[in-house]
Amino acid sequence: MKREIEQEMSYLQVTAKEQLHEWVEQIKEFSSEGKTADYIPALKDMDSSQLGICLIGADGTVIQSGDYESVFTLQSISKVISFIAACLCCGIPYVLERVDVEPTGDAFNSIIRLEMHKPGKPFNPMINAGALTVSSLLSGETAKEKLSYLFDVITMLTGKTPLINETVFESEWQTSHRNRALAYYLKETNYLQGEVEEVLEVYLKQCSIEVTTEDIALIGLILSLDGYHPVFHKQVIPKEVAKLTKALMLTCGMYNASGKFAAFVGMPAKSGVSGGIMSLVPPNTKKQSPFPDGCGIGIYSPAIDEYGNSVKGVTLLKKIAKEWDLSIF
Ligand code: DON
């Protein structure tokens, strides 16, 4: 999207840009932990050395570094957008009757608590059980209609028409046995609405939407501003929905590493197994902060850890949060 605010960078922002280049180079060179998501064959061959970042400030300043132009699939970052979309079409109370807002401490695709913790309501919309339920609530009867609604919401946020990576979708469609099992179980307990295969198609296609670090940084920025779009100059997400979404990102967005992430980074964030992380900094009064009016952050680096979070991405966010004192706590 062409941003209309061309801002002269402040001294702190110029310094921040230089620091960022240095940290990206260091982390790219010295961190070799993690591996690409091999349970989705099409993601396995991504170049794990890549690391890119884009920060967009509320003042219009854009700072990019490393492989920020790489195109990758949203994967679980899409859970944030589908949650927002479901709240827009059904209202918060209706959505929260079907999915809770509690962290689990379990893996993102865990099935265990659905039966253990009666009555089987998914714990939150950031784990697969909750996200499948949320996708089933999207406006429309068929997968095509639900996706078309979700695409409209994405276009409202990024100004772009989303594209699905069909290779990634096909690859996951063939191997998504656990998601199928979760969806059938949720259908049996009446949390999932409509037909399982239709919902699964919506969920896996939303995961396969292609983005860049700039797209997710912009969505992060809109959330940072409580739903106000600084380029289109309008409230695109109701404030209440934006606040709820940020709380979910902070408590559940990095799965069973969300506690550590809150403790050592301290910013709302959502990861995806393709190696993307969408994060944000609220408006703040921190002295070292290059973005006192808030910013959105998009990161891409495909090697992930056992929780499904980008290893280099988390390392870079930790560094930024520490050096610029960006933790919200
Ligand atoms: O449901 C799945 O397995 C994936 N398409 C999305 C999972 C994911 O991104 C988990 N994130 N870190």
Side-chain angles (χ1 to χ4, degrees), residues 6 110 205 216 320 329:
E6 285 300 331
S110 179
K205 283 195 169 158
I216 55 173
I320 291 172
F329 300 108

Side-chain angles (χ1 to χ4, degrees), residues 39-40 75-76 108 128 172 179 203 207 255 271-273 308:
Y39 80 100
I40 305 175
Q75 296 302 329
S76 285
F108 66 85
N128 289 15
E172 200 174 3
N179 280 328
Y203 172 70
C207 285
Y255 303 111
S271 63
V273 284

Side-chain angles (χ1 to χ4, degrees), residues 29-284:
E29 197 171 335
F30 296 113
S31 157
S32 60
E33 284 166 41
K35 58 186 181 64
T36 52
D38 53 6
Y39 80 100
I40 305 175
L43 294 185
K44 193 170 152 229
D45 298 327
M46 305 305 285
D47 175 3
S48 63
S49 71
Q50 291 208 346
L51 173 60
I53 182 166
C54 173
L55 295 100
I56 309 179
D59 63 358
T61 303
V62 181
I63 299 181
Q64 294 153 320
S65 188
D67 305 295
Y68 65 90
E69 283 174 310
S70 292
V71 173
F72 56 97
T73 52
L74 272 175
Q75 296 302 329
S76 285
I77 299 170
S78 69
K79 291 166 177 168
V80 173
I81 308 169
S82 58
F83 176 73
I84 293 168
C87 290
L88 292 180
C89 67
C90 306
I92 295 176
Y94 187 88
V95 175
L96 297 191
E97 264 170 42
R98 284 153 188 85
V99 61
D100 216 331
V101 289
E102 284 301 334
T104 62
D106 299 326
F108 66 85
N109 55 1
S110 179
I111 207 159
I112 192 161
R113 282 180 202 252
L114 280 182
E115 206 183 6
M116 300 280 285
H117 187 86
K118 297 292 177 192
K121 182 175 178 177
F123 267 65
N124 67 69
M126 302 293 134
I127 52 167
N128 289 15
L132 284 158
T133 305
V134 165
S135 297
S136 82
L137 304 181
L138 295 174
S139 178
E141 291 301 313
T142 60
K144 202 170 168 206
E145 285 168 4
K146 286 181 188 299
L147 279 163
S148 158
Y149 173 68
L150 187 68
F151 276 28
D152 287 347
V153 172
I154 294 176
T155 304
M156 175 182 85
L157 299 172
T158 63
K160 290 183 184 169
T161 307
L163 273 180
I164 290 174
N165 183 321
E166 293 292 341
T167 313
V168 172
F169 166 69
E170 282 299 335
S171 166
E172 200 174 3
W173 179 256
Q174 304 297 339
T175 56
S176 215
H177 311 301
R178 187 186 279 250
N179 280 328
R180 258 194 188 82
L182 277 168
Y184 275 104
Y185 187 81
L186 289 160
K187 173 75 183 168
E188 203 260 342
T189 51
N190 280 324
Y191 284 105
L192 189 127
Q193 293 183 1
E195 295 308 314
V196 165
E197 294 297 315
E198 295 275 328
V199 173
L200 205 65
E201 184 181 334
V202 175
Y203 172 70
L204 295 180
K205 283 195 169 158
Q206 73 181 54
C207 285
S208 307
I209 291 170
E210 291 186 326
V211 286
T212 62
T213 54
E214 182 175 339
D215 298 326
I216 55 173
L218 181 58
I219 300 173
L221 173 62
I222 297 166
L223 286 170
S224 154
L225 301 178
D226 282 345
Y228 181 79
H229 201 304
V231 181
F232 298 160
H233 303 291
K234 60 178 179 190
Q235 190 78 26
V236 286
I237 304 170
K239 193 170 180 175
E240 205 186 350
V241 174
K243 286 192 177 295
L244 180 54
T245 307
K246 285 186 277 189
L248 281 163
M249 288 167 72
L250 186 79
T251 53
C252 317
M254 304 299 277
Y255 303 111
N256 37 340
S258 298
K260 284 187 226 19
F261 194 84
F264 301 113
V265 180
M267 305 192 276
K270 181 76 205 84
S271 63
V273 284
S274 53
I277 303 178
M278 177 169 88
S279 189
L280 61 101
V281 180
N284 58 84

